[in-house]
């Protein structure tokens, strides 16, 4: 049974009213979720003069972000982003849990906003909600709009709803939020126009999807293509173990219409590993998505194959919890599933990442996998797995301890090739993912 919505005042009209309120200081921008995506959103808008309030339920994260920017207030209390002057709400909450699509956090945020629109500080303000999180196709119609309807809310009258999934890459020059093309959409025309106006503050190139259904699909489809290509690179290394597939793929990438892909321990991060799962889950006829199902299966298999390759050569040191170098993001990192697989088989393993302290690693993987003596662990290891391409790993505190003289052969498997140019000692057998027989460690006899 729907409720009637009390209206305290008529909202401003015009597609750019939300942008105007942000720009002239009469309104603030609320960011839900202060992970990598949400924090970068908050910073981008603050950099153009917008007052921002960010919410995250993790109190430790909020404490670490307090005072980072005079224009950004952070809080672990949802009431602080449900204030009447918060005219735009950017939602950047996780839509993944334990490697699968998960809508719990997203539905909770929408329910909080809806409740505040019916009886709280947002009542009658007609805020703009822009969802930056990646959605399973169909989520807007099947989950979000019904929540709003349960509160008697109508998009276009009581609030505006836009979608604008993030696709920028944070570490490479020229791939920032402002520089990259961005796709957006709205549930109806007014929502789309307002979304474009607000995003124009921080994005130079915007492409409108005709419907919000299209917008949901675009992010999933573009990353599913990458997921399949990367997984094919891994399947090729398994099918042709006597060939250096790194070189083959490098040469194949010289063709004008083919990208260069690299074999790996498996994909990681917010987007690529989940894209195929989102599409399978949201499809009307998932039975036709056999390629995506195989992609998911092979990607999961790679982590186990890497663990199998070194379990007979303990002790093992895993360098890196993050999935990619230079960023403190461990979402679906291969390191986590590899470490758990080895631990579950009672293989002695130590995990270290220069961006994480031991308490953080213990929180992610459980206690017992960290050490206060990394040099000692590296000097006694028989296998070292290098997961992200952290630049720190090329430093002497890592290389010298791996090269430290020992009687037994040491296997180094390098996911991204960050250590490919190191002058290795005779006892070190170094292999980058995709090199000839890179997963074959049993044939390497001790010295």
């Amino acid at each position: 049974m729907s409720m009637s919505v009390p209206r305290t005042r008529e909202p401003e009209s015009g597609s750019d009213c939300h942008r105007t309120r942000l720009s002239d200081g009469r309104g603030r921008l609320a960011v839900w979720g202060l992970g990598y995506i949400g924090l970068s959103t908050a910073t981008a808008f603050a950099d153009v003069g917008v007052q921002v309030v960010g919410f995250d339920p993790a109190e430790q994260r909020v404490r670490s972000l307090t005072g980072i920017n005079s224009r950004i207030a952070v809080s672990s209390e949802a009431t602080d982003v449900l204030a009447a002057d918060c005219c735009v709400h950017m939602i950047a909450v996780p839509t993944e849990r334990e490697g699968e699509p998960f809508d719990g956090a997203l539905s909770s945020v929408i329910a909080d906003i809806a409740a505040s629109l019916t009886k709280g500080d947002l009542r009658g303000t007609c805020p703009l909600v822009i969802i930056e999180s990646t959605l399973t196709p169909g989520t807007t119609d099947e989950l979000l709009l019904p929540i709003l309807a349960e509160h008697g809310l109508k998009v276009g009258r009581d609030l505006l709803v836009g979608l604008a999934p993030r696709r920028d890459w944070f570490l490479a020059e020229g791939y920032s939020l402002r520089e990259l093309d961005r796709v957006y959409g709205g549930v109806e025309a007014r929502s789309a126009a307002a979304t474009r106006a607000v995003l124009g503050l921080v994005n130079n190139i915007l492409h409108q999807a005709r419907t919000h259904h299209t917008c949901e699909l675009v992010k999933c489809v573009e990353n599913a293509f990458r997921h399949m290509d990367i997984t094919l690179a891994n399947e090729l290394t398994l099918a042709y173990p006597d060939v250096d597939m790194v070189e083959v793929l490098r040469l194949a990438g010289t063709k004008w219409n083919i990208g260069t892909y690299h074999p790996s321990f498996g994909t990681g991060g917010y987007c690529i590993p989940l894209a195929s799962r989102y599409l399978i889950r949201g499809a009307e006829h998932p039975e036709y998505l056999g390629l995506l199902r195989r992609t998911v299966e092979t990607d999961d298999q790679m982590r186990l194959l890497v663990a199998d390759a070194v379990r007979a050569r303990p002790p093992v040191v895993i360098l890196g919890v993050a999935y990619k170098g230079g960023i403190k993001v461990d979402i679906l990192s291969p390191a986590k599933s590899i470490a758990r697989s080895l631990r579950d088989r009672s293989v002695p393993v130590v995990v270290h990442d220069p961006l994480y302290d031991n308490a953080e690693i213990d929180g992610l993987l459980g206690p017992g996998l960290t050490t206060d003596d990394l040099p000692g662990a590296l000097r006694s290891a028989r296998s070292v797995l290098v997961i992200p391409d952290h630049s720190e790993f090329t430093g002497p505190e890592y290389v010298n301890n791996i090269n430290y003289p020992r009687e037994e052969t040491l296997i180094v498997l390098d996911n991204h090739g960050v250590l490919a140019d190191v002058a290795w000692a005779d006892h070190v057998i170094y292999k980058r993912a995709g090199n000839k027989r890179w997963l074959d460690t049993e044939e390497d006899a001790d010295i």
Side-chain angles (χ1 to χ4, degrees):
M1 179 176 174
S2 64
M3 299 178 289
S4 60
V5 181
R7 303 300 296 273
T8 57
R9 62 181 182 276
E10 288 298 316
E12 298 174 75
S13 61
S15 62
D16 62 347
C17 67
H18 296 85
R19 173 172 174 154
T20 300
R21 291 178 63 190
L22 293 178
S23 297
D24 65 18
R26 289 182 296 128
R28 291 188 296 166
L29 180 134
V31 178
W32 295 75
L34 294 175
Y36 219 80
I37 297 296
L39 181 59
S40 62
T41 293
T43 302
F45 278 96
D47 287 346
V48 296
V50 174
Q51 292 292 333
V52 178
V53 55
F55 162 76
D56 197 287
E59 294 183 3
Q60 182 178 358
R61 180 176 298 164
V62 169
R63 286 195 297 268
S64 69
L65 297 177
T66 299
I68 60 168
N69 188 307
S70 62
R71 288 188 175 273
I72 302 175
V74 293
S75 176
S76 58
E77 297 293 334
T79 52
D80 290 333
V81 286
L82 292 170
D85 65 337
C86 290
C87 60
V88 177
H89 294 257
M90 308 292 291
I91 301 180
V93 297
T95 51
E96 168 273 336
R97 185 172 68 178
E98 297 181 356
E100 295 293 336
F102 173 70
D103 298 320
L106 178 63
S107 61
S108 178
V109 170
I110 296 297
D112 285 346
I113 293 174
S116 191
L117 273 166
T118 58
K119 58 183 179 181
D121 289 333
L122 293 181
R123 185 174 58 188
T125 60
C126 197
L128 167 63
V129 176
I130 300 176
I131 301 170
E132 295 193 292
S133 306
T134 304
L135 303 182
T136 298
T139 297
T140 304
D141 285 347
E142 297 169 13
L143 177 66
L144 305 186
L145 295 184
I147 292 175
L148 298 176
E150 288 173 3
H151 289 78
L153 301 173
K154 181 179 179 180
V155 177
R157 182 193 68 190
D158 306 302
L159 78 165
L160 306 180
V161 178
L163 282 66
R166 292 284 292 274
R167 57 157 53 145
D168 42 307
W169 180 240
F170 306 100
L171 298 178
E173 185 176 350
Y175 292 85
S176 71
L177 177 60
R178 180 166 292 282
E179 295 165 315
L180 280 182
D181 296 42
R182 189 171 192 181
V183 175
Y184 73 97
V187 170
E188 40 73 59
R190 188 178 169 206
S191 295
T195 298
R196 181 180 184 89
V198 168
L199 292 180
L201 289 169
V202 295
N203 293 102
N204 289 341
I205 309 171
L206 293 165
H207 303 276
Q208 182 178 347
R210 290 183 181 179
T211 70
H212 61 279
H213 310 96
T214 300
C215 195
E216 287 177 332
L217 272 164
V218 168
K219 176 66 179 294
C220 297
V221 168
E222 62 193 29
N223 281 306
F225 274 116
R226 295 193 64 206
H227 197 194
M228 287 192 295
D229 288 338
I230 294 169
T231 303
L232 175 60
N234 280 332
E235 288 188 338
L236 289 169
T237 69
L238 303 178
Y240 294 89
D242 286 320
V243 175
D244 187 343
M245 201 55 63
V246 173
E247 181 183 17
V248 172
L249 293 170
R250 178 183 63 81
L251 294 173
T254 63
K255 191 172 187 284
W256 70 91
N257 60 351
I258 295 180
T260 301
Y261 296 94
H262 304 282
S264 70
F265 295 3
T267 61
Y270 294 102
C271 299
I272 292 177
L274 285 163
S276 299
R277 288 177 166 88
Y278 286 130
L279 288 172
I280 293 168
R281 179 180 176 184
E284 183 177 355
H285 293 287
E287 65 271 19
Y288 291 115
L289 297 177
L291 288 175
L292 293 187
R293 290 187 182 280
R294 174 62 182 269
T295 294
V296 170
E297 292 169 0
T298 301
D299 198 14
D300 290 343
Q301 179 191 27
M302 291 307 301
R303 297 156 166 78
L304 300 180
L305 290 176
V306 173
D308 284 344
V310 297
R311 66 187 178 94
R313 299 187 61 87
V316 179
V317 174
I318 296 177
L319 294 180
V321 174
Y323 83 97
K324 178 66 178 172
I327 57 175
K328 193 176 180 179
V329 176
D330 53 80
I331 299 296
L332 296 180
S333 170
K336 295 196 288 188
S337 51
I338 292 171
R340 289 167 181 155
S341 176
L342 292 172
R343 179 193 59 198
D344 292 347
R345 298 183 182 191
S346 301
V347 177
V349 57
V350 166
V351 182
H352 163 83
D353 191 305
L355 303 186
Y356 294 75
D357 60 35
N358 284 350
E360 290 174 315
I361 296 175
D362 288 342
L364 291 170
L365 301 176
L369 298 184
T370 56
T371 180
D372 292 325
D373 182 18
L374 180 65
L378 288 172
R379 292 183 179 192
S380 63
R382 295 180 66 219
S383 301
V384 173
L385 302 178
V386 186
I387 310 287
D389 49 344
H390 288 326
S391 60
E392 290 89 343
F393 291 157
T394 62
E397 63 270 37
Y398 295 94
V399 173
N400 289 351
N401 285 304
I402 295 173
N403 268 337
Y404 189 78
R406 66 195 76 194
E407 295 182 356
E408 295 180 310
T409 301
L410 171 65
I411 300 293
V412 176
L413 300 185
D414 189 347
N415 191 24
H416 292 285
V418 65
L419 299 180
D421 295 329
V422 170
W424 292 112
D426 291 340
H427 69 272
V428 177
I429 295 179
Y430 171 86
K431 299 180 181 182
R432 178 181 178 177
N435 286 158
K436 178 180 177 180
R437 293 198 173 275
W438 68 282
L439 288 171
D440 189 351
T441 60
E442 294 182 1
E443 66 181 22
D444 301 308
D446 292 343
I447 295 176

